[in-house]
Amino acid sequence: MELSYFSLSAHTEGTQRDQRSSNPNPNPDYIPPPAHTRSSQADRQKMTTSVPKLQETYNQQGFLTSLPVLSETELREARNAFAELEGEFGEDYTQYSLHNVHLQYQWVMGLTKHPRILQVLQDVLGPDVILLDSRFICKYPIPANLKEDGEEEEGSSSLPYVAWHQDMRYWGIAGGPVLSVWLAFDDSLEENGALQVIPGSHASGMLPHREAVRAGNMLSVNQEIPEELVAAEEAILCPLLAGQMSIHDGLLVHASDPNMSEKRRCGFVIRYVPTCAYPIQDPDRPRKFHATMLICGTDQFNHFSNK
């Protein structure tokens, strides 16, 4: 079975050589997304990967990136709908506080069930999947005076960023993996704070976290993995074009830098688990799950029926 996915393994060897020659990222295995805005169906059919290969790459690396999801029309409609929320609530709120609004807005619910997202979910997690949680995350352009302060006081800046962490540190889940989707509403690039990941770091299990030393951490509990435990030299950037998504395992070590550009970086983060996963009572991870629902397949376990 062949699927139309962009992935790290989906490019031809010649294209890899061309892109690596101009790639500033020191990791030789990193392949940036294509330069065109979005692929045509013919292009996608040329760049396919089998389900076993998709699973193998995800299991080994802990992530996949540059997966096409939204059409031009779908993207435009989603961005227009989000602009209405920005107008209603203000950017201070929409930066991080639109949490589980798939329960309120049908267009958001539709994104969580998008056929291209569900196709990847089922190939990675299996046929039976639960929507665990969702949140919009936006890094808005920083005023020029704050950017200057951030450059002069590097390391002590309060510009919004996301510290090195693992998602599972905040989720009291056992019995199955948590898969996180980042669906890009804007182009997500190095200059506006794109996702950075450490490939294969999910295989190390849960790492210790502490209170973040640097101000500006967008994580709601303000934690980070101590820098001596982060192989930052192995990190690669995962740029996305608007309408594409990346997915990563809940144990993958990842982060993102401040937005130092004049362009917004907004994305819709969705967490999914297979139905075999279940919530646990962990005082260090006291997360409640009030917005879960079966998103595809059947649920023979009903682990989240009482949430």
Side-chain angles (χ1 to χ4, degrees):
M1 179 180 180
E2 296 290 311
L3 300 174
S4 299
Y5 294 135
F6 288 116
S7 75
L8 294 178
S9 60
H11 302 265
T12 64
E13 184 177 352
T15 302
Q16 289 176 342
R17 285 196 299 268
D18 293 341
Q19 291 182 330
R20 281 173 183 156
S21 65
S22 60
N23 174 26
N25 193 296
N27 188 305
D29 295 323
Y30 169 69
I31 305 297
H36 49 75
T37 56
R38 246 161 302 283
S39 64
S40 67
Q41 184 173 356
D43 290 335
R44 291 196 297 270
Q45 290 174 343
K46 292 177 183 178
M47 293 186 284
T48 61
T49 184
S50 66
V51 172
K53 182 63 177 178
L54 183 86
Q55 294 169 332
E56 178 185 1
T57 302
Y58 184 78
N59 290 337
Q60 289 180 351
Q61 299 295 315
F63 74 102
L64 296 171
T65 192
S66 303
L67 306 177
V69 177
L70 301 180
S71 68
E72 295 282 359
T73 299
E74 290 171 330
L75 176 62
R76 181 174 62 253
E77 291 175 348
R79 294 183 67 169
N80 288 342
F82 186 78
E84 293 183 7
L85 296 182
E86 288 180 314
E88 180 179 356
F89 297 106
E91 293 181 359
D92 286 345
Y93 188 87
T94 56
Q95 176 177 258
Y96 197 74
S97 298
L98 289 172
H99 185 214
N100 287 331
V101 295
H102 63 272
L103 299 176
Q104 299 172 249
Y105 302 102
Q106 191 58 43
W107 69 271
V108 182
M109 178 67 77
L111 293 177
T112 71
K113 298 179 178 180
H114 194 286
R116 288 191 174 177
I117 295 179
L118 296 188
Q119 187 177 23
V120 176
L121 290 179
Q122 291 180 306
D123 292 338
V124 173
L125 296 179
D128 307 320
V129 180
I130 285 175
L131 166 61
L132 189 67
D133 187 270
S134 74
R135 183 186 295 272
F136 283 96
I137 298 178
C138 288
K139 290 181 185 172
Y140 290 98
I142 304 298
N145 62 318
L146 292 182
K147 282 196 289 188
E148 292 171 2
D149 291 343
E151 291 168 354
E152 292 173 3
E153 300 177 20
E154 185 175 358
S156 61
S157 167
S158 60
L159 300 182
Y161 73 102
V162 177
W164 289 110
H165 70 286
Q166 297 166 302
D167 293 340
M168 283 296 286
R169 179 64 187 83
Y170 315 105
W171 304 98
I173 298 292
V178 174
L179 182 151
S180 294
V181 166
W182 174 279
L183 177 60
F185 273 37
D186 303 316
D187 290 350
S188 182
L189 308 170
E190 182 175 12
E191 55 265 29
N192 66 350
L195 176 71
Q196 301 176 53
V197 303
I198 300 180
S201 56
H202 63 305
S204 298
M206 186 75 75
L207 298 174
H209 288 60
R210 67 183 182 193
E211 184 175 354
V213 174
R214 175 180 161 197
N217 187 10
M218 294 180 71
L219 294 174
S220 57
V221 294
N222 191 32
Q223 289 195 334
E224 66 180 3
I225 300 172
E227 62 180 12
E228 61 269 18
L229 299 180
V230 177
E233 70 280 359
E234 299 177 9
I236 67 169
L237 194 71
C238 293
L240 295 172
L241 299 171
Q244 294 181 336
M245 74 172 177
S246 63
I247 66 173
H248 64 264
D249 184 86
L251 288 171
L252 188 76
V253 177
H254 60 289
S256 63
D257 288 335
N259 181 358
M260 302 301 292
S261 76
E262 297 179 355
K263 298 179 180 179
R264 185 188 71 176
R265 181 224 181 203
C266 182
F268 184 41
V269 179
I270 324 167
R271 324 282 188 183
Y272 299 94
V273 294
T275 55
C276 59
Y278 54 88
I280 58 174
Q281 298 299 318
D282 185 341
D284 292 328
R285 296 183 291 171
R287 197 64 177 260
K288 301 296 183 183
F289 305 102
H290 301 297
T292 60
M293 59 184 62
L294 183 68
I295 207 74
C296 57
T298 59
D299 185 2
Q300 61 178 317
F301 301 99
N302 296 312
H303 287 152
F304 292 88
S305 58
N306 296 323
K307 303 177 184 179

